[in-house]
Amino acid sequence: MHHFAYRDGALFAEDVDLRRIAAEVGTPVYVYSSATIERHYRLFAQAMAGIDPARPAPHVFYAMKANGNLGVLKTLAALGAGCDTVSEGEVRKALAAGFAPDKIVFSGVGKSESELAFAVEAGIYQINIETEGELDLLSKVAARLGKRQEAVFRVNPDIGAGGHAKITTGSAANKFGVSFEEASRLYARAANLPGVRMMGLAVHIGSQIQDIAAFEAAYAKMAGLVGSLRDEGHRVDRLDLGGGLGIPYEMAKAVDHGPELIEDYAAMVARVTKGLDVELGFEPGRLIVGNAGILMTRVVHLNPRPSKQFLIVDAAMNDLVRPAMYEAYHEIWPVAEPAAEARSIAYDVVGPICESGDTFTTGRVLPELRPDDLVAFMTAGAYGASMSSTYNQRLLVAEVLVKGAQYAVTRPRQSYEELIGTDRAPPWLA
Ligand code: PLP
């Protein structure tokens, strides 16, 4: 469910007319709905709390990589969410957004010494260790700071799943996590290191997964590993089950979707972890913000060809890279509500970037559109703005957060001074 709907002939985000945002902020612009973010977070957190009502509610660490907008982060921090981070920048941003250090986890395969030092000094809740080298480095860094950092091993269960090969992370062919077979040896090694305290295990098998069976296979393996590590005398108190739960990119289906998949997922986790006596953690990203955001863009030109019609919009692959990178599908809704009898045309919707890959979709049948018309790429709240760039020296896209009848620009469009002014000429060319 989401809060974008036609009202009085125009598309609204909650109670705000998107035409007003286009006029006041310009395009392209991401628009996020607070109500949708709040609803998804609550649905997820409540379902996870129901897994074992006798225990404290599991931790829900929102995966910032999906959308790191300050307004989105503050919305989630205010709801009591934790935060999953993958770089020093994300740890810093989580702290700046108001997440308490003891609600932050730090994942990622290539954490550097300075990043680990920053996280340890900040007193974050947990570091998810992904390699033996990282284990040694973390212990050295923490011991030097006079600390013992709580950590878990991210284990690769060799179960591949995900909406696209580039977002599959849990197969042995992927770079993520220590191998299942190595977990026991590394746990034993860690017991003798001065700067770490191993608290348990983590797993994350990929993103945009709608097949509960794939999660179940991975989690069942992890539950087995918890048991065998304990048999060897190790302390395994925590099991971080990662993120990855998929969302419907076809919005017509999305209206009824959400609770069912989350409930099936919670029921599966309850089944697999029954009697395991662990503190559960989750790292959802896409599920929380995916259909809480749209990218609004304006038609710039038409380019009719004998065989096809190009619709050239002012957003490009630097603003929303998912179609070019993952062949991802986004519904496209005209902001002005189309009349029932409107003529339909098959468009190739493309951006202004000098690459044929800058194509959002081909042969998409849409109501007839003209230059200056506004359209919205739906379900663009996750891995949209957070993956945006300045490719082709285009300005970083603006972001807006709506709450009821109000909206705020939570990231202004970059200025040309900011874009160009940070470069430095070498002294020999100055
Ligand atoms: N946790 C980790 C370690 C990840 O790498 C990711 C995304 O790739 C996530 C959580 C969030 O995944 P999703 O947005 O699919 O929920």
Side-chain angles (χ1 to χ4, degrees):
M1 150 120 201
H2 58 90
H3 296 77
F4 298 94
Y6 288 108
R7 199 190 285 182
D8 306 328
L11 191 57
F12 274 58
E14 302 188 23
D15 298 327
V16 179
D17 188 332
L18 286 173
R19 293 172 301 189
R20 192 179 134 214
I21 294 177
E24 293 171 6
V25 184
T27 56
V29 59
Y30 279 93
V31 181
Y32 309 124
S33 153
S34 300
T36 311
I37 296 168
E38 287 165 6
R39 178 183 143 83
H40 289 160
Y41 174 76
R42 288 206 177 97
L43 275 175
F44 188 83
Q46 279 162 14
M48 299 312 120
I51 289 172
D52 186 353
R55 297 185 65 94
H59 300 279
V60 179
F61 303 105
Y62 164 66
M64 184 195 298
K65 66 174 77 65
N67 186 323
N69 184 270
L70 192 64
V72 171
L73 297 177
K74 279 186 166 292
T75 300
L76 287 162
L79 291 171
C83 194
D84 169 47
T85 62
V86 289
S87 68
E88 181 176 335
E90 286 198 351
V91 177
R92 285 178 183 268
K93 199 159 186 189
L95 294 167
F99 291 97
D102 65 0
K103 288 200 153 196
I104 298 174
V105 301
F106 189 8
S107 317
V109 292
K111 303 180 204 78
S112 68
E113 184 163 350
S114 60
E115 287 186 306
L116 289 170
F118 180 82
V120 171
E121 270 197 290
I124 72 161
Y125 175 71
Q126 170 180 302
I127 293 188
N128 296 7
I129 296 173
E130 303 219 18
T131 60
E132 187 166 3
E134 185 186 348
L135 170 67
D136 291 337
L137 186 60
L138 174 59
S139 176
K140 188 181 89 177
V141 164
R144 193 173 67 214
L145 294 167
K147 296 205 179 189
R148 197 183 259 271
Q149 174 65 48
E150 296 192 349
V152 299
F153 282 117
R154 175 171 177 185
V155 175
N156 186 316
D158 196 13
I159 306 260
H164 188 272
K166 288 183 186 153
I167 51 173
T168 295
T169 58
S171 103
N174 302 133
K175 64 183 175 181
F176 302 94
V178 303
S179 79
F180 199 81
E181 296 69 29
E182 289 278 82
S184 158
R185 182 181 69 77
L186 293 179
Y187 227 98
R189 261 203 75 199
N192 297 316
L193 294 176
V196 287
R197 180 176 294 116
M198 294 314 300
M199 302 301 293
L201 302 171
V203 65
H204 171 79
I205 59 171
S207 196
Q208 186 51 17
I209 303 167
Q210 287 175 298
D211 174 16
I212 298 289
F215 288 114
E216 182 155 10
Y219 295 174
K221 271 185 106 167
M222 297 302 291
L225 187 57
V226 170
S228 59
L229 289 171
R230 283 180 176 158
D231 290 345
E232 290 165 17
H234 300 300
R235 174 176 175 183
V236 189
D237 294 348
R238 299 183 193 162
L239 185 55
D240 174 343
L241 295 176
L245 207 51
I247 57 169
Y249 278 84
E250 288 158 62
M251 301 295 275
K253 290 185 195 160
V255 174
D256 292 333
H257 182 96
E260 301 81 3
L261 191 64
I262 295 173
E263 281 159 17
D264 290 353
Y265 177 80
M268 176 276 293
V269 174
R271 199 161 59 235
V272 175
T273 60
K274 193 168 173 26
L276 205 55
D277 193 23
V278 283
E279 238 177 73
L280 292 175
F282 299 91
E283 303 170 354
R286 188 188 307 271
L287 181 89
I288 307 293
V289 291
N291 63 26
I294 59 141
L295 172 62
M296 179 163 52
T297 181
R298 199 179 278 282
V299 177
V300 190
H301 299 295
L302 297 168
N303 188 357
R305 293 279 174 75
S307 61
K308 56 171 66 196
Q309 172 74 278
F310 287 103
L311 186 78
I312 305 169
V313 296
D314 67 1
M317 64 192 284
N318 72 302
D319 304 307
L320 176 65
V321 77
R322 298 188 68 258
M325 193 156 163
Y326 310 129
E327 291 92 39
Y329 173 90
H330 288 271
E331 284 196 355
I332 300 173
W333 291 12
V335 170
E337 187 171 13
E341 65 284 2
R343 197 159 82 99
S344 291
I345 297 188
Y347 290 108
D348 283 15
V349 183
V350 300
I353 279 185
C354 303
E355 283 206 29
S356 298
D358 186 19
T359 297
F360 291 108
T361 183
T362 55
R364 182 77 63 90
V365 177
L366 296 171
E368 183 172 16
L369 290 158
R370 297 201 168 75
D372 263 352
D373 284 349
L374 295 165
V375 295
F377 289 102
M378 307 304 289
T379 322
Y383 307 102
S386 64
M387 294 179 81
S388 62
S389 75
T390 58
Y391 185 40
N392 271 212
Q393 300 300 323
R394 286 168 52 84
L395 301 175
L396 275 181
V397 63
E399 292 170 85
V400 159
L401 181 66
V402 169
K403 186 163 180 69
Q406 347 163 40
Y407 83 83
V409 178
T410 48
R411 187 171 78 177
R413 192 177 313 287
Q414 192 181 28
S415 68
Y416 283 109
E417 291 68 37
E418 288 162 338
L419 178 75
I420 300 162
T422 49
D423 280 18
R424 294 286 175 271
W428 61 91
L429 293 174

Short mmCIF file of all heavy atoms in Angstrom, two decimals, residues 217-243:
data_model
loop_
_atom_site.label_atom_id
_atom_site.label_comp_id
_atom_site.label_asym_id
_atom_site.label_seq_id
_atom_site.Cartn_x
_atom_site.Cartn_y
_atom_site.Cartn_z
N ALA A 217 15.47 -21.67 3.40
CA ALA A 217 16.62 -22.57 3.24
C ALA A 217 17.85 -21.96 3.91
O ALA A 217 18.61 -22.66 4.61
CB ALA A 217 16.87 -22.80 1.75
N ALA A 218 18.06 -20.66 3.70
CA ALA A 218 19.24 -20.00 4.29
C ALA A 218 19.13 -19.96 5.81
O ALA A 218 20.10 -20.26 6.53
CB ALA A 218 19.37 -18.59 3.72
N TYR A 219 17.96 -19.59 6.31
CA TYR A 219 17.81 -19.43 7.76
C TYR A 219 17.90 -20.79 8.48
O TYR A 219 18.40 -20.87 9.59
CB TYR A 219 16.48 -18.74 8.09
CG TYR A 219 16.36 -17.32 7.59
CD1 TYR A 219 15.17 -16.61 7.71
CD2 TYR A 219 17.44 -16.67 6.98
CE1 TYR A 219 15.04 -15.30 7.26
CE2 TYR A 219 17.32 -15.36 6.52
CZ TYR A 219 16.13 -14.69 6.65
OH TYR A 219 16.01 -13.39 6.20
N ALA A 220 17.40 -21.82 7.82
CA ALA A 220 17.49 -23.16 8.43
C ALA A 220 18.95 -23.55 8.58
O ALA A 220 19.37 -24.11 9.61
CB ALA A 220 16.73 -24.18 7.59
N LYS A 221 19.75 -23.22 7.56
CA LYS A 221 21.19 -23.51 7.66
C LYS A 221 21.82 -22.73 8.82
O LYS A 221 22.65 -23.25 9.57
CB LYS A 221 21.90 -23.11 6.36
CG LYS A 221 21.94 -24.22 5.32
CD LYS A 221 22.76 -23.81 4.11
CE LYS A 221 24.11 -24.52 4.07
NZ LYS A 221 24.79 -24.38 2.76
N MET A 222 21.40 -21.48 8.95
CA MET A 222 21.96 -20.64 10.02
C MET A 222 21.55 -21.18 11.40
O MET A 222 22.36 -21.18 12.33
CB MET A 222 21.47 -19.20 9.87
CG MET A 222 21.90 -18.52 8.60
SD MET A 222 23.68 -18.46 8.36
CE MET A 222 24.16 -17.32 9.63
N ALA A 223 20.31 -21.64 11.50
CA ALA A 223 19.84 -22.19 12.80
C ALA A 223 20.69 -23.41 13.15
O ALA A 223 21.08 -23.61 14.31
CB ALA A 223 18.36 -22.54 12.71
N GLY A 224 21.00 -24.23 12.15
CA GLY A 224 21.85 -25.40 12.38
C GLY A 224 23.23 -24.97 12.86
O GLY A 224 23.80 -25.57 13.79
N LEU A 225 23.74 -23.90 12.26
CA LEU A 225 25.08 -23.42 12.64
C LEU A 225 25.08 -22.87 14.07
O LEU A 225 26.04 -23.07 14.81
CB LEU A 225 25.53 -22.35 11.63
CG LEU A 225 26.96 -21.84 11.75
CD1 LEU A 225 27.98 -22.98 11.65
CD2 LEU A 225 27.24 -20.79 10.67
N VAL A 226 24.00 -22.20 14.44
CA VAL A 226 23.90 -21.70 15.83
C VAL A 226 24.06 -22.89 16.79
O VAL A 226 24.84 -22.85 17.74
CB VAL A 226 22.54 -21.00 16.08
CG1 VAL A 226 22.33 -20.70 17.56
CG2 VAL A 226 22.43 -19.72 15.24
N GLY A 227 23.34 -23.98 16.47
CA GLY A 227 23.39 -25.17 17.34
C GLY A 227 24.79 -25.77 17.39
O GLY A 227 25.31 -26.05 18.48
N SER A 228 25.42 -25.89 16.23
CA SER A 228 26.73 -26.56 16.26
C SER A 228 27.79 -25.69 16.92
O SER A 228 28.66 -26.19 17.64
CB SER A 228 27.15 -27.04 14.86
OG SER A 228 27.21 -25.96 13.99
N LEU A 229 27.70 -24.37 16.74
CA LEU A 229 28.68 -23.50 17.43
C LEU A 229 28.49 -23.57 18.94
O LEU A 229 29.45 -23.61 19.70
CB LEU A 229 28.52 -22.05 16.94
CG LEU A 229 28.99 -21.77 15.51
CD1 LEU A 229 28.58 -20.36 15.07
CD2 LEU A 229 30.50 -21.93 15.37
N ARG A 230 27.23 -23.61 19.36
CA ARG A 230 26.98 -23.72 20.81
C ARG A 230 27.51 -25.05 21.35
O ARG A 230 28.09 -25.10 22.43
CB ARG A 230 25.49 -23.59 21.10
CG ARG A 230 25.02 -22.15 21.03
CD ARG A 230 23.56 -22.09 21.33
NE ARG A 230 23.06 -20.72 21.38
CZ ARG A 230 21.78 -20.40 21.20
NH1 ARG A 230 20.87 -21.34 20.97
NH2 ARG A 230 21.39 -19.15 21.28
N ASP A 231 27.33 -26.11 20.55
CA ASP A 231 27.86 -27.42 20.99
C ASP A 231 29.37 -27.35 21.18
O ASP A 231 29.93 -28.07 22.00
CB ASP A 231 27.54 -28.51 19.94
CG ASP A 231 26.05 -28.83 19.90
OD1 ASP A 231 25.34 -28.42 20.86
OD2 ASP A 231 25.60 -29.45 18.92
N GLU A 232 30.01 -26.48 20.41
CA GLU A 232 31.46 -26.34 20.55
C GLU A 232 31.82 -25.39 21.70
O GLU A 232 32.99 -25.08 21.91
CB GLU A 232 32.05 -25.80 19.23
CG GLU A 232 31.99 -26.81 18.10
CD GLU A 232 32.21 -26.18 16.72
OE1 GLU A 232 32.72 -25.04 16.63
OE2 GLU A 232 31.85 -26.83 15.73
N GLY A 233 30.81 -24.88 22.39
CA GLY A 233 31.06 -24.05 23.56
C GLY A 233 31.07 -22.56 23.29
O GLY A 233 31.47 -21.77 24.14
N HIS A 234 30.64 -22.15 22.09
CA HIS A 234 30.66 -20.73 21.77
C HIS A 234 29.36 -20.04 22.18
O HIS A 234 28.30 -20.67 22.22
CB HIS A 234 30.86 -20.52 20.26
CG HIS A 234 32.15 -21.10 19.77
ND1 HIS A 234 33.36 -20.69 20.27
CD2 HIS A 234 32.42 -22.07 18.85
CE1 HIS A 234 34.32 -21.37 19.66
NE2 HIS A 234 33.78 -22.22 18.80
N ARG A 235 29.51 -18.73 22.41
CA ARG A 235 28.33 -17.94 22.78
C ARG A 235 27.68 -17.42 21.49
O ARG A 235 28.32 -16.72 20.71
CB ARG A 235 28.82 -16.77 23.63
CG ARG A 235 27.76 -15.79 23.98
CD ARG A 235 28.33 -14.73 24.90
NE ARG A 235 27.30 -13.73 25.13
CZ ARG A 235 27.49 -12.62 25.85
NH1 ARG A 235 28.66 -12.36 26.39
NH2 ARG A 235 26.50 -11.76 26.02
N VAL A 236 26.44 -17.81 21.27
CA VAL A 236 25.72 -17.33 20.08
C VAL A 236 24.37 -16.79 20.56
O VAL A 236 23.40 -17.52 20.70
CB VAL A 236 25.51 -18.44 19.03
CG1 VAL A 236 24.96 -17.84 17.73
CG2 VAL A 236 26.80 -19.20 18.75
N ASP A 237 24.35 -15.49 20.86
CA ASP A 237 23.14 -14.86 21.40
C ASP A 237 22.30 -14.19 20.33
O ASP A 237 21.11 -13.96 20.54
CB ASP A 237 23.51 -13.78 22.42
CG ASP A 237 24.17 -14.36 23.65
OD1 ASP A 237 24.12 -15.60 23.81
OD2 ASP A 237 24.75 -13.58 24.44
N ARG A 238 22.95 -13.80 19.23
CA ARG A 238 22.25 -12.98 18.24
C ARG A 238 22.24 -13.65 16.87
O ARG A 238 23.23 -14.27 16.48
CB ARG A 238 22.96 -11.62 18.06
CG ARG A 238 23.00 -10.79 19.30
CD ARG A 238 23.67 -9.45 18.99
NE ARG A 238 23.99 -8.76 20.23
CZ ARG A 238 24.84 -7.77 20.34
NH1 ARG A 238 25.47 -7.30 19.25
NH2 ARG A 238 25.09 -7.20 21.50
N LEU A 239 21.13 -13.46 16.18
CA LEU A 239 21.02 -13.93 14.80
C LEU A 239 20.40 -12.79 13.98
O LEU A 239 19.22 -12.47 14.16
CB LEU A 239 20.17 -15.20 14.74
CG LEU A 239 20.06 -15.89 13.38
CD1 LEU A 239 21.43 -16.23 12.80
CD2 LEU A 239 19.23 -17.18 13.51
N ASP A 240 21.24 -12.18 13.14
CA ASP A 240 20.79 -11.06 12.30
C ASP A 240 20.44 -11.65 10.94
O ASP A 240 21.31 -12.17 10.24
CB ASP A 240 21.95 -10.05 12.23
CG ASP A 240 21.70 -8.88 11.29
OD1 ASP A 240 20.79 -8.98 10.43
OD2 ASP A 240 22.42 -7.88 11.39
N LEU A 241 19.17 -11.57 10.58
CA LEU A 241 18.70 -12.27 9.37
C LEU A 241 18.69 -11.40 8.12
O LEU A 241 18.15 -11.80 7.08
CB LEU A 241 17.31 -12.87 9.64
CG LEU A 241 17.31 -13.97 10.71
CD1 LEU A 241 15.90 -14.47 11.01
CD2 LEU A 241 18.19 -15.16 10.30
N GLY A 242 19.27 -10.20 8.20
CA GLY A 242 19.45 -9.38 7.00
C GLY A 242 18.14 -8.79 6.49
O GLY A 242 17.11 -8.77 7.17
N GLY A 243 18.21 -8.30 5.26
CA GLY A 243 17.02 -7.72 4.62
C GLY A 243 16.67 -8.55 3.41
O GLY A 243 16.84 -9.76 3.42
#
